[in-house]
Amino acid sequence: MIVLFLLIILLIVGVILFGMFYILKQVRQYSFVKAMINKNKYTAWGMLVLLLVLIGIGLWLDHVNTLIVLLHLVLIWMIVDGIRLLINKYSRHRVQAFVSGLVALGLTVSYLSYGYYQAHHVVTTHYSLSTSKVIDKNLRIVQISDSHIGATFHAEGFKKHMQIIQSLHPDLIVVTGDYVDDDTTRKDMLASTKALGQIKSTYGTYFVYGNHDKGYMNYRNFSAQDLEASLKENNIHILNDESVQIAKYITVVGRQDAQTESYRKSAQALMQSIDSKQYVIMLDHEPTDYINEANSHPDLVLSGHTHGGQMFPIGITGELSGANDMTYGIKTMKDTTFIVNSGISDWAIKFKTGGAKAEIGVIDIEK
């Protein structure tokens, strides 16, 4: 753990130093900057100090998103400047160095503004499924995932989203993990849990833990036990490697998180005592066990965790590395349908540029 922490620190320092010196190197090519430096030899040092101050303020206010902005600016600038050099080499027209900077800045602002909007503008995504199994009536499931309360909204924002969910007339509410985060306050947790518990539905609200819910850093002002108590007080049913039959022909199975629990039951073990006539909805925060889950034959598996890819190219690398079986959307394996929700919010990163958006999932199951 200490080695990983040190590697992260080194990576952060490396990104800052590389970004800072790349920006200074590019800006020093501008004719007016050259003139300023020739006139006063301390101008370059002044630019360095100013850049350090600006980056320092950004890191103090929000270190994660400052690094995101810096990294995108430098990468985009490198690409744009590479194109400029090719144009200058193979074309009669010469493009000045400052043009690269202006274009890179404009593209970075536009790209990250789009990502900010995608992360903060919550939409409702609908899926329509059918089953040949006998169920009492058509079933509407509303899925909430990865709210990370305090990231893109606090309790008041969460309450507004719960009002939208109530207007959807759900039969079943499922929360597929990362409900809270290390930066969530006790006040926000309690108020949000109360709002979640006030939603009226046919079969109630069911909850599984994600990798952030119990806390990593242990500096927030409430414990995992406080969260559990608040959920139970508000009639939110926690499923830890267990199942519950919520209607005559409908069962909900909730799995422990694959990343934070040293032991969790297999999908087969959870399914073995359930009547095959039951329509089974399995909740699993991380979409990482699809083969075993498909072989155990639940009808529907709902997950989150990936944030829809969050930022390009995280989604692609997540699947290529085998960290996730799917990043976002819907697919069927054998007789099981898998849906990955992109999350109603984000973790510390306040941008979604991976093609996903912040969403509330609505799954309609027709007889």
Side-chain angles (χ1 to χ4, degrees):
M1 190 70 180
I2 295 173
V3 174
L4 178 61
F5 179 74
L6 290 174
L7 287 173
I8 291 171
I9 294 297
L10 286 173
L11 179 62
I12 290 170
V13 172
V15 168
I16 293 169
L17 291 176
F18 177 77
M20 183 176 66
F21 285 109
Y22 181 82
I23 292 170
L24 284 173
K25 178 178 175 291
Q26 294 302 106
V27 170
R28 286 189 63 158
Q29 297 181 56
Y30 302 168
S31 56
F32 70 91
V33 174
K34 286 181 179 178
M36 289 169 62
I37 293 173
N38 290 334
K39 190 175 181 179
N40 187 334
K41 63 180 181 179
Y42 296 111
T43 300
W45 287 105
M47 291 169 58
L48 176 62
V49 170
L50 177 61
L51 190 57
L52 277 171
V53 169
L54 290 174
I55 292 174
I57 291 171
L59 291 171
W60 179 64
L61 293 173
D62 189 335
H63 58 282
V64 172
N65 289 286
T66 296
L67 288 171
I68 293 292
V69 172
L70 181 63
L71 184 60
H72 277 78
L73 176 60
V74 170
L75 288 175
I76 292 172
W77 204 333
M78 290 173 68
I79 293 168
V80 171
D81 204 54
I83 294 170
R84 179 185 72 85
L85 293 174
L86 288 173
I87 292 172
N88 287 349
K89 184 175 180 179
Y90 296 106
S91 172
R92 296 177 183 176
H93 304 286
R94 291 199 61 80
V95 180
Q96 297 299 314
F98 77 90
V99 175
S100 297
L102 291 175
V103 172
L105 183 61
L107 288 175
T108 303
V109 170
S110 300
Y111 183 61
L112 292 180
S113 294
Y114 160 79
Y116 187 88
Y117 176 81
Q118 290 289 84
H120 291 76
H121 178 70
V122 180
V123 300
T124 304
T125 303
H126 291 261
Y127 297 97
S128 294
L129 307 176
S130 61
T131 179
S132 59
K133 291 186 175 180
V134 177
I135 56 177
D136 299 320
K137 65 184 187 69
N138 292 344
L139 177 70
R140 169 163 283 192
I141 305 167
V142 174
Q143 181 184 7
I144 306 165
S145 195
D146 299 273
S147 48
H148 292 275
I149 295 164
T152 60
F153 52 72
H154 294 274
E156 289 305 311
F158 187 82
K159 289 177 187 178
K160 291 177 182 177
H161 295 313
M162 296 308 100
Q163 291 168 5
I164 292 170
I165 289 173
Q166 186 63 79
S167 71
L168 295 168
H169 307 292
D171 293 307
L172 173 66
I173 308 292
V174 296
V175 182
T176 50
D178 283 359
Y179 171 64
V180 293
D181 208 332
D182 287 283
D183 294 321
T184 306
T185 65
R186 178 183 179 87
K187 181 180 178 181
D188 272 351
M189 182 273 287
L190 293 173
S192 298
T193 306
K194 182 178 180 181
L196 178 62
Q198 288 174 340
I199 300 177
K200 294 179 174 60
S201 62
T202 309
Y203 301 118
T205 302
Y206 292 83
F207 176 102
V208 292
Y209 287 105
N211 52 300
H212 284 271
D213 287 308
K214 294 182 179 180
Y216 279 124
M217 308 303 290
N218 296 318
Y219 61 74
R220 64 189 183 191
N221 61 348
F222 65 93
S223 65
Q225 291 74 25
D226 293 332
L227 172 61
E228 180 178 341
S230 181
L231 291 167
K232 289 180 177 178
E233 285 169 10
N234 287 281
N235 298 313
I236 297 161
H237 308 282
I238 303 169
L239 296 178
N240 272 324
D241 275 355
E242 54 194 321
S243 62
V244 58
Q245 187 173 333
I246 63 172
K248 187 175 181 181
Y249 297 109
I250 302 172
T251 293
V252 179
V253 176
R255 302 194 69 183
Q256 294 197 65
D257 179 62
Q259 187 179 143
T260 58
E261 301 301 328
S262 57
Y263 170 80
R264 67 171 184 166
K265 292 181 181 177
S266 68
Q268 287 84 352
L270 289 167
M271 290 291 295
Q272 66 183 1
S273 62
I274 299 173
D275 191 326
S276 60
K277 294 179 181 179
Q278 290 282 304
Y279 186 88
V280 179
I281 303 153
M282 182 175 284
L283 312 179
D284 188 2
H285 175 63
E286 300 183 35
T288 58
D289 196 27
Y290 278 13
I291 292 175
N292 291 324
E293 288 172 343
N295 288 336
S296 68
H297 306 292
D299 296 277
L300 177 63
V301 177
L302 301 177
S303 301
H305 181 63
T306 64
H307 298 185
Q310 187 71 61
M311 302 201 76
F312 177 82
I314 294 174
I316 297 170
T317 55
E319 290 189 34
L320 289 175
S321 67
N324 302 309
D325 291 326
M326 184 166 66
T327 301
Y328 176 71
I330 181 170
K331 75 175 179 180
T332 300
M333 292 174 62
K334 296 189 175 181
D335 52 1
T336 300
T337 299
F338 294 86
I339 293 176
V340 179
N341 187 284
S342 65
I344 196 171
S345 181
D346 278 336
W347 173 65
I349 300 172
K350 298 187 184 297
F351 308 97
K352 276 185 184 287
T353 62
K357 64 273 186 184
E359 69 176 359
I360 296 165
V362 180
I363 304 103
D364 287 312
I365 315 294
E366 297 181 356
K367 294 201 295 184

